[in-house]
Amino acid sequence: MDDTPDPAPSPDVKFLKWLVTTLAAVMICGVLAVVIVLVIRLQPTPPPLPSEITLPDGARATAVTQGDDWIAIVTEAEEILVYDRLTGRLRQRVQIAPQDAATR
């Protein structure tokens, strides 16, 4: 008996190697697609405001929350503006204290 290995791989091994290479390429493309979609979807966008509310000049909203009869908007100037839900009239303005002043 001759125990020397066959120098040429069989057609089944070539096909299996091709399948593994193709699978690796598809997986790399899939991971890249997921990362791209996450980056696009997780971009910060300003919250939408109801059409009946107008912010003071120069104010930009960073967060919006709603209650039964009010809408509160947090601005970049660290201020909370509370509006009446029905009329859109400004009810209250609250200045948020700086973090280091609140811990004293």
Side-chain angles (χ1 to χ4, degrees), residues 19-102:
L19 281 177
V20 169
T21 304
T22 304
L23 176 64
V26 168
M27 287 176 59
I28 289 170
C29 290
V31 168
L32 286 174
V34 167
V35 168
I36 289 170
V37 167
L38 284 175
V39 166
I40 291 171
R41 292 285 175 111
L42 296 178
Q43 293 293 328
T45 56
L49 292 176
S51 59
E52 66 271 2
I53 292 180
T54 56
L55 293 176
D57 290 336
R60 287 197 51 209
T62 58
V64 176
T65 189
Q66 301 179 23
D68 290 335
D69 64 341
W70 54 268
I71 297 173
I73 300 171
V74 180
T75 65
E76 286 181 338
E78 304 214 3
E79 188 176 37
I80 301 172
L81 306 172
V82 182
Y83 289 89
D84 186 87
R85 180 184 284 260
L86 296 176
T87 64
R89 184 180 55 83
L90 181 63
R91 274 194 198 175
Q92 186 178 7
R93 251 185 149 129
V94 180
Q95 187 67 39
I96 301 171
Q99 191 173 17
D100 54 345

Side-chain angles (χ1 to χ4, degrees), residues 1-8:
M1 264 198 204
D2 187 17
D3 289 337
T4 58
D6 189 16

